[in-house]
């Protein structure tokens, strides 16, 4: 049976891997909509290749270029943030949310509000607005399926009928490219150094988040939103080989894990095919070749971003949203050469201390806190650079 599919963030690392699965299974999905931020050429090529009905670019100034690139194809186009929200709102059974950052929040909410099946890669949406998104999903009958490999692993071994059987959820972390570096040795790290992930190939923002371990912190908060277990039962272990994607420890002491080669097409296919499993071209796991699996506790002193996120998760309320917004600004400043690698955790910590906590009952509340935290973090970037 052919199912309709939309990919938000189709030109990125996750989006293009989702499109690879579409190309390999032409009868399984019909593509409704694809979106990008600025990459008109990539978006137009992808929309032509899969015969999408609608293509939207978030950058309003690129609307004409997109229209020209798709002239004569019959593919409708749109430009600006509202067009990306429209892509989420269009009638597709499955929506893969692969936009990076809180920019994915409103298009995701548009899909949630019409009860879609969502494959959620865009973790920042759940970090900044988890309670709002999950409440809307319950109210509208939307299904939230995690694409993040850790959460996808947990989803596969989680006792959905009886969460009280869970003693602990253990997220694995590769440790990133600076796993063995001192703080001093991280100080002069370049963007290229920070993006040299040891096991996964990903977009720039998540690669840098992996180098600071903020990515694991965001994933803790994401897990707290996706799985009904108390936050004290969430844990992190560093596992450099990235073979075990995460684990669930049960009250009897049994530990169930999901393993696989580090290829995002496995969790993406799981979410796009659910409840069926789909064949993927991912390399098969050869444990004899891997030979050794190792583990170590995360170092919260060398990687303060993980501690900041852990604390924000425990604090709840607006803290995760402030943390996420500050991190987005700090990482963007690092990429732009306006901040050093070690400025990232400092900016996040200072923003958390500065921005007053506020209610988070609605999407509007979330957007207001997000904007206040971004403004504060931008001010700190300027101050530190002066
Ligand atoms: P990329 O940077 O590779 O791609 C991001 C996508 O989002 C692109 O299509 C980009 O368009 C679009 N985009 C960026 N900014 C905006 C905006 N303001 N409005 C609308 N669209 C925008 O990111 P990844 O694919 O690496 O990551 C996507 C999400 O998935 C992130 O939340 C990440 O944490 C999560 N994730 C990624 C994994 C991976 O392996 N890459 C693994 C697990 C989770 P354009 O190309 O035009 O810039």
């Amino acid at each position: 049976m052919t199912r309709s599919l939309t990919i938000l963030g189709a030109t990125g690392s996750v989006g293009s891997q989702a499109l690879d699965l579409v190309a390999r299974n032409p009868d399984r999905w019909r593509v409704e909509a694809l979106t990008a931020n600025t990459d008109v050429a990539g978006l137009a090529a992808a929309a032509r290749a899969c015969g999408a009905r609608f293509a939207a670019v978030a950058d309003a100034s690129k609307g004409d270029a997109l229209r020209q690139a798709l002239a004569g194809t019959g593919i409708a186009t749109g430009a600006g943030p509202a067009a990306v929200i429209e892509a989420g709102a269009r009638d597709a059974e499955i929506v893969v949310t692969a936009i990076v950052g809180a920019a994915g929040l409103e298009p995701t909410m548009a899909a949630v509000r019409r009860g879609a099946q969502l494959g959620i890669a865009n973790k920042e949406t759940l970090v900044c607005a988890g309670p709002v998104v999950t409440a809307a999903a319950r109210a509208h009958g939307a299904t939230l399926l995690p694409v993040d490999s850790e959460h996808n692993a947990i989803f596969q071994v989680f006792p959905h009928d009886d969460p009280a059987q869970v003693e602990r959820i253990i997220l694995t972390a590769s440790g990133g490219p600076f796993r063995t570096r001192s703080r001093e040795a991280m100080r002069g790290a370049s963007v290229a150094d920070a993006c040299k992930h040891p096991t996964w190939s990903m977009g720039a923002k998540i690669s840098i988040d992996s180098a600071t371990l903020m990515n694991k912190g965001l994933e803790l908060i994401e897990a707290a939103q996706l799985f009904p277990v108390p936050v004290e039962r969430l844990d992190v272990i560093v596992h450099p080989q990235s073979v075990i994607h995460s684990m669930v420890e049960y009250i009897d002491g049994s530990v169930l894990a999901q393993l696989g080669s580090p290829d995002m097409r496995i969790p993406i296919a799981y979410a796009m095919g659910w409840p069926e499993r789909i064949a993927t071209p991912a390399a098969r796991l050869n444990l004899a070749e891997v030979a050794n699996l190792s583990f170590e506790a995360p170092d919260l002193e060398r990687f303060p971003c993980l501690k900041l996120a852990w604390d924000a998760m425990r604090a709840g309320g607006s803290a995760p949203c402030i943390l996420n917004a500050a991190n987005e600004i700090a990482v963007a400043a690092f990429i732009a050469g306006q901040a050093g690698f070690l400025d990232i955790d400092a900016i996040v910590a200072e923003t958390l201390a500065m921005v007053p906590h506020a209610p988070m009952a609605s999407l509007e509340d979330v957007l207001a806190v997000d904007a206040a935290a971004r403004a504060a973090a931008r001010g700190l970037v300027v101050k530190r650079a002066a």
Side-chain angles (χ1 to χ4, degrees):
M1 196 182 63
T2 304
R3 302 170 79 192
S4 49
L5 170 78
T6 283
I7 304 172
L8 304 172
T11 46
S13 165
V14 170
S16 55
Q17 293 180 83
L19 282 165
D20 176 68
L21 292 167
V22 172
R24 289 169 190 274
N25 297 273
D27 299 329
R28 193 173 276 276
W29 297 287
R30 174 190 67 69
V31 176
E32 177 64 30
L34 299 179
T35 77
N37 188 24
T38 58
D39 181 4
V40 164
L43 178 63
R48 278 174 188 268
C50 68
R53 291 187 176 171
F54 180 65
V57 61
D59 181 342
S61 72
K62 308 265 181 187
D64 286 343
L66 181 62
R67 219 177 358 264
Q68 279 164 23
L70 289 174
T73 61
I75 301 170
T77 64
V84 179
I85 296 172
E86 184 194 334
R90 284 174 79 106
D91 192 16
E93 199 182 331
I94 305 164
V95 177
V96 175
T97 71
I99 291 174
V100 61
L105 174 56
E106 290 183 89
T108 299
M109 282 298 279
V112 166
R113 284 175 172 151
R114 57 175 187 77
Q117 171 179 321
L118 283 87
I120 298 204
N122 176 217
K123 66 189 82 183
E124 295 90 347
T125 280
L126 286 175
V127 172
C128 71
V132 170
V133 174
T134 53
R138 280 191 298 276
H140 298 280
T143 306
L144 306 182
L145 299 166
V147 165
D148 222 343
S149 61
E150 293 78 1
H151 305 74
N152 188 267
I154 296 161
F155 186 88
Q156 293 193 41
V157 295
F158 192 83
H160 296 279
D161 293 337
D162 188 6
Q165 292 179 5
V166 175
E167 178 87 30
R168 217 160 42 120
I169 286 179
I170 307 160
L171 293 161
T172 52
S174 71
F178 303 151
R179 181 173 63 88
T180 56
R181 278 201 199 180
S182 66
R183 287 281 285 174
E184 216 28 60
M186 288 180 219
R187 186 172 303 281
S190 68
V191 175
D193 294 336
C195 285
K196 262 186 224 131
H197 197 276
T199 46
W200 296 95
S201 160
M202 310 182 287
K205 196 260 180 184
I206 183 175
S207 297
I208 294 163
D209 286 348
S210 298
T212 60
L213 287 203
M214 179 59 93
N215 183 50
K216 211 47 53 180
L218 299 178
E219 288 179 6
L220 275 172
I221 300 169
E222 182 185 8
Q225 298 306 322
L226 287 169
F227 303 105
V229 299
V231 293
E232 310 77 56
R233 296 192 182 193
L234 299 177
D235 210 349
V236 171
I237 190 143
V238 175
H239 163 46
Q241 296 82 13
S242 301
V243 166
I244 297 179
H245 296 312
S246 278
M247 299 172 257
V248 173
E249 183 179 285
Y250 282 66
I251 50 174
D252 64 358
S254 299
V255 178
L256 269 59
Q258 185 261 359
L259 287 69
S261 59
D263 186 323
M264 280 305 292
R265 287 174 299 185
I266 299 174
I268 296 169
Y270 186 93
M272 278 167 51
W274 190 85
E276 272 179 57
R277 283 188 190 263
I278 296 169
T280 78
R284 302 296 108 149
L285 186 58
N286 183 335
L287 285 173
E289 245 170 44
V290 175
N292 291 303
L293 298 182
S294 58
F295 304 91
E296 62 203 40
D299 184 337
L300 301 185
E301 279 177 21
R302 279 188 305 126
F303 297 100
C305 281
L306 178 55
K307 181 168 185 327
L308 289 167
W310 221 313
D311 291 345
M313 174 179 73
R314 291 193 189 105
S318 50
C321 181
I322 297 168
L323 171 104
N324 178 67
N327 183 57
E328 286 193 31
I329 296 297
V331 170
F334 174 59
I335 291 173
Q338 295 157 355
F341 183 75
L342 295 185
D343 289 327
I344 297 174
D345 59 70
I347 290 166
V348 174
E350 283 184 55
T351 307
L352 277 161
M354 275 169 70
V355 176
H357 288 251
M360 299 288 277
S362 66
L363 182 58
E364 292 65 36
D365 290 345
V366 172
L367 294 172
V369 169
D370 178 76
R374 277 168 203 272
R378 275 194 204 100
L380 291 169
V381 169
V382 172
K383 203 168 113 195
R384 293 181 80 86

